[in-house]
Amino acid sequence: MEIEAIYKGHIYPDKELDRAEGEAIETLKKSSQEPIPDPDRWLEEEVERNVLLTSIDSILSWARRNSLWPVICFPACCAFEFIAANASRFDLSRFGMEILRASPRQADLMITAGTLTWKMAPQVKRIYEQMPEPKWVIAMGACGISGGIFRSSYNVVPGYNRIIPVDVYVPGCPPRPEALIHGIRMLQYKISKRKNF
Ligand code: SF4
């Protein structure tokens, strides 16, 4: 008898159980007056906020101008200013172009950082020709533009534009990294105006 009494003391009587269940249902009813919003509704809102209409031409130019990959072409002292432009103080990677390509097939920009001799000219021309289209050239420094102080020398090419087309000229001997970055920005502007089709 005693054990039965103890056992009963820990079990809800049927009436109490019904009441507890009823209370739980009523509470749920009160808090369920409105349908729960569609959990995917945010997705539609996000899409609406993030849809951007543009032309293929603009998006291609935008991608190209912000992901220029320069081929390595450093025949002389201007190279150090180019290297400085790549280092942390000037940080060329801000423009999406920190990757210097050793292979011309994966590059679309040639920055001519140094004096070019006629002996080197065929190799530089070949590297340019191996770069896929579209491609661009920045003539960096007085030597890149016109041969600079070596212009009258028998062995110096008086400007890269004698052997390849140049898009932007950056003067100086050597140009500072800021000047090179300005030239790159000018090239980016030129690319943004380019018609792709
Ligand atoms: S422009 Fe001046 S710094 Fe640049 S490669 Fe010529 S001599 Fe050297």
Side-chain angles (χ1 to χ4, degrees), residues 135-174:
K135 53 192 170 186
W136 298 275
V137 176
I138 293 178
M140 180 181 179
C143 291
I145 294 170
S146 64
I149 52 173
F150 311 109
R151 182 181 170 83
S152 53
S153 176
Y154 73 96
N155 64 334
V156 170
V157 181
Y160 279 72
N161 58 7
R162 301 292 175 108
I163 59 164
I164 53 177
V166 172
D167 296 279
V168 174
Y169 296 85
V170 180
C173 179

Side-chain angles (χ1 to χ4, degrees), residues 44-59:
E44 287 167 23
E45 289 169 4
E46 285 296 304
V47 169
E48 275 173 23
R49 280 209 299 266
N50 289 294
V51 167
L52 184 70
L53 293 178
T54 184
S55 63
I56 299 280
D57 218 33
S58 307
I59 201 82

